[in-house]
Amino acid sequence: MNKFQLPSDSKLRRPEFLFGVATSSYQIEGGAQLGGRTPSIWDTFCNKPGAVDNADNGDVACDHFHLWQQDIEMIQGLGVDAYRLSMAWPRIVPHDGQVNEEGLKFYEQIIDECHARGLKVFVTLYHWDLPQYLEDKGGWLNRETAYKFEYYAQVVSEYFGDKIDSYATLNEPFCASYLGYRWGIHAPGIKGEREGFLSAHHLMLAHGLAMPHLRKNAPNSMHGCVFNATPAYPLNDSDIAAAEYSDAEGFHWFMDPVLKGEYPQAVLDRQSHNMPMILEGDLDIIRSDLDFIGINFYTRCVVRFDENGDIQEVPQPTNEHTFIGWEIYPQALTDLLLRLNERYDNLPPLYITENGAAGEDNCVNGEVNDQQRVMYFQTHLEALDAAIKAGVKVDGYFAWSLMDNFEWAYGYKQRFGIVHVDYQTQKRTLKQSALAYRNMLLERREENQ
C-alpha cells in the first residue's frame, strides 16, 4: 500500500481537518549538557542500573538539537499541516527562578522555521522531563512544584504569546504520576499508591494554575491538555464493573476534574486510604474551559476481577500485537471517542495527539518495509472517521512519532517512528508508513485546491 486510503465520504478529507506528526523533547533532542540545559529526572533515572533497557539514555538521542533544520524540512516534505513538539523545562528554567534566554531562542528558531514552511506549531509544556532540582525537593509529591510549573508556563507564554498556535499544559499525566511515582517504572522511579495519586493531583493542579497565564499571554492561541486513554473491555459479563473502574482510574481520574470539577467517586471510594490532601479551592483551579483536548491512543485492555477483587489485565494472545506487545484493536478508538462524547456534555473539540505502533524495523538497501505500521495507521484512520461520522468532533490527527527515538524505559529498541533513524550516523530514512502518509496528504491537498 503506497498511500492510506480515505473513502470519498471520509470526514478526514475536509481541508480544515489537521494532520501532523509529533515528538517530545527528551526523546529526540539530545544536547543534554548544551545550550544552558540542566539535568531532568530522566537524565538521573537513566543512570540507575537496570532502569532503562540496554542502559540507554537521551544524551544524544536523535541529535535534534543540532539537526533541527533538516528535521523541519523533512516534516514539511511529508505534507503535514502541523508539528507537535514539547519544550524541555530544564532548558528554559535551568535553575529555580532563572530563565535561560538561550533555551527560549532554541525553540523560537524551530517555531519560526515551521511557520516559514507553512506548518502550525502545537507545543506541549510538560512531556515528563521535570528539572532534577525540583525533584530534589520532592518533585510532583511536593505541592510547590505545581506553582513552579505555573511560573514556567508564564515564562513561555510571555515570551512566545500567540506565536505558538496551540499550547498543551501536560502530556499524559497518567504516565507522569502512575508510571513515575506509583509503579516506579518511569522517572523518578518511586513506588507507592499514595504517591501515585498525590503526584497526579499536583499535576492537575499545575495544569489549572497555568491556564490563566496562557489565556492572558496568548489570547489568540488554543489551550488544552493531553490525556492518554487505554479503554477497558470486560473479559466476561461479570467483569463490566472491572472495566468501568479501570477507565475511571486510568483516564477519568485526570479528565473529570478538568471537565467536571470533581474526581470520579468510584476511585475516591476504592482508594480512600490512598487519597491525596485536596485543599479547598483546588478543584475550582483545576476545572477550566479548554479549547481542545488531546487524546493519545495506542491500544485497549481486557480486564477482570481477580480472586482478591483487584483489577487484572488479561492478555489476548490470539490477536495481533505490535513489537512492544500492545494489541492492535482499532475499534477501541471509535468506542473510546464515543464514550467520551457521551460522558462529557462540555467536551471541547478533540485532537488525536498521538497514535502509532512500535515495530522491529530494519533499513535494507535504503528502504524500511513496515507493513504492519502501514495497516495500523490505515485501520485507525478508518476508526477515527467512524467516530466523527457518529457525531464526535475531532479536528486533527498526529502520527506518533515523526522518527524513531528514545522510548523511555524501553530505550532505543522500540521504534515508533515513521522515519527510521540510524543512531550511529543519525541518517533519517522515510519508512513505507511515512511514504503512505505523505502520498495520502498530497492527494488530499490536490483535491482541496
Side-chain angles (χ1 to χ4, degrees):
M1 186 187 294
N2 65 356
K3 70 170 182 288
F4 303 135
Q5 309 289 336
L6 296 180
S8 58
D9 66 341
S10 172
K11 299 293 186 181
L12 308 185
R13 288 183 176 272
R14 293 175 294 140
E16 64 271 20
F17 188 89
L18 210 68
F19 279 101
V21 287
T23 65
S24 88
S25 50
Y26 190 74
Q27 292 180 273
I28 68 165
E29 274 180 16
Q33 291 87 39
L34 303 176
R37 179 186 179 278
T38 53
S40 77
I41 55 174
W42 273 95
D43 296 284
T44 305
F45 188 69
C46 289
N47 287 326
K48 289 185 177 181
V52 177
D53 286 358
N54 198 41
D56 290 336
N57 61 56
D59 287 358
V60 177
C62 306
D63 201 21
H64 182 71
F65 184 80
H66 294 109
L67 303 177
W68 63 269
Q69 286 172 295
Q70 75 170 53
D71 289 339
I72 302 302
E73 183 178 359
M74 180 173 68
I75 293 170
Q76 181 195 24
L78 292 172
V80 297
D81 309 299
Y83 175 40
R84 176 178 177 246
L85 67 147
S86 75
M87 292 184 176
W89 187 347
R91 197 178 286 289
I92 292 173
V93 188
H95 302 283
D96 202 352
Q98 175 189 320
V99 178
N100 177 28
E101 194 82 11
E102 191 176 353
L104 289 166
K105 290 189 181 306
F106 170 71
Y107 293 110
E108 186 171 31
Q109 61 190 357
I110 291 174
I111 292 166
D112 287 347
E113 184 67 19
C114 284
H115 285 155
R117 293 178 177 273
L119 297 164
K120 291 185 181 296
V121 179
F122 281 56
V123 166
T124 303
L125 294 177
Y126 185 65
H127 200 128
W128 313 349
D129 41 3
L130 183 72
Q132 182 60 41
Y133 64 80
L134 290 178
E135 184 58 38
D136 292 341
K137 298 179 180 179
W140 289 112
L141 301 179
N142 183 350
R143 184 182 173 91
E144 188 65 24
T145 299
Y147 294 88
K148 299 299 183 182
F149 179 80
E150 178 186 17
Y151 171 74
Y152 162 56
Q154 186 175 0
V155 167
V156 172
S157 58
E158 281 180 352
Y159 186 86
F160 291 103
D162 292 329
K163 180 178 277 194
I164 291 173
D165 299 286
S166 172
Y167 290 81
T169 50
L170 311 173
N171 178 78
E172 301 184 352
F174 167 98
C175 294
S177 57
Y178 290 0
L179 300 188
Y181 291 87
R182 186 179 179 186
W183 300 320
I185 54 179
H186 275 193
I190 292 170
K191 295 180 181 180
E193 292 292 297
R194 298 187 68 181
E195 288 80 358
F197 288 104
L198 180 62
S199 58
H201 179 62
H202 290 158
L203 276 154
M204 299 322 301
L205 181 64
H207 159 80
L209 290 167
M211 283 299 292
H213 298 287
L214 301 181
R215 292 274 186 215
K216 176 188 173 187
N217 295 329
N220 298 309
S221 302
M222 293 196 306
H223 302 289
C225 193
V226 174
F227 305 95
N228 61 303
T230 302
Y233 292 76
L235 179 64
N236 300 301
D237 289 345
S238 59
D239 300 309
I240 291 173
E244 290 175 347
Y245 182 80
S246 178
D247 286 354
E249 193 178 281
F251 51 94
H252 297 154
W253 177 258
F254 300 93
M255 296 180 71
D256 278 12
V258 174
L259 294 173
K260 302 173 77 171
E262 63 188 28
Y263 282 113
Q265 192 61 46
V267 184
L268 293 173
D269 292 343
R270 189 179 179 91
Q271 295 282 357
S272 59
H273 53 297
N274 292 317
M275 284 297 101
M277 181 181 291
I278 300 171
L279 301 186
E280 187 175 351
D282 279 4
L283 287 165
D284 293 329
I285 293 171
I286 297 170
R287 168 75 178 84
S288 49
D289 292 327
L290 303 184
D291 300 315
F292 75 97
I293 277 179
I295 297 293
N296 295 351
F297 173 86
Y298 292 93
T299 186
R300 68 161 181 170
C301 61
V302 176
V303 298
R304 62 182 287 269
F305 285 119
D306 67 14
E307 57 274 10
N308 298 318
D310 294 326
I311 310 295
Q312 180 185 48
E313 190 168 336
V314 183
Q316 302 297 299
T318 59
N319 293 351
E320 186 181 3
H321 292 70
T322 63
F323 184 57
I324 205 170
W326 298 350
E327 182 188 356
I328 299 176
Y329 195 84
Q331 178 63 38
L333 177 56
T334 308
D335 295 342
L336 167 67
L337 297 177
L338 291 173
R339 290 184 201 176
L340 294 177
N341 205 41
E342 184 179 337
R343 182 179 181 87
Y344 302 108
D345 55 14
N346 61 335
L347 189 68
L350 302 178
Y351 286 83
I352 304 303
T353 34
E354 290 181 23
N355 180 234
E360 191 175 14
D361 302 328
N362 297 298
C363 190
V364 180
N365 298 324
E367 294 185 356
V368 182
N369 187 5
D370 59 336
Q371 279 305 304
Q372 186 187 61
R373 184 179 291 107
V374 170
M375 289 308 302
Y376 181 97
F377 282 124
Q378 174 68 42
T379 54
H380 283 77
L381 289 171
E382 291 169 359
L384 173 59
D385 194 38
I388 297 172
K389 287 175 177 173
V392 185
K393 185 168 175 51
V394 184
D395 286 348
Y397 174 93
F398 290 80
W400 183 271
S401 173
L402 167 65
M403 55 187 165
D404 298 334
N405 53 47
F406 177 78
E407 186 48 40
W408 309 112
Y410 292 105
Y412 293 100
K413 182 179 181 181
Q414 297 293 342
R415 293 179 176 267
F416 273 91
I418 61 173
V419 175
H420 181 275
V421 177
D422 182 325
Y423 295 113
Q424 301 304 312
T425 65
Q426 294 296 344
K427 178 178 172 58
R428 277 76 159 135
T429 303
L430 270 61
K431 303 177 186 179
Q432 288 299 315
S433 55
L435 300 175
Y437 199 27
R438 182 192 68 188
N439 293 344
M440 176 196 75
L441 294 174
L442 292 176
E443 180 186 82
R444 174 175 170 267
R445 183 170 293 176
E446 289 171 4
E447 282 179 7
N448 290 315
Q449 284 178 345

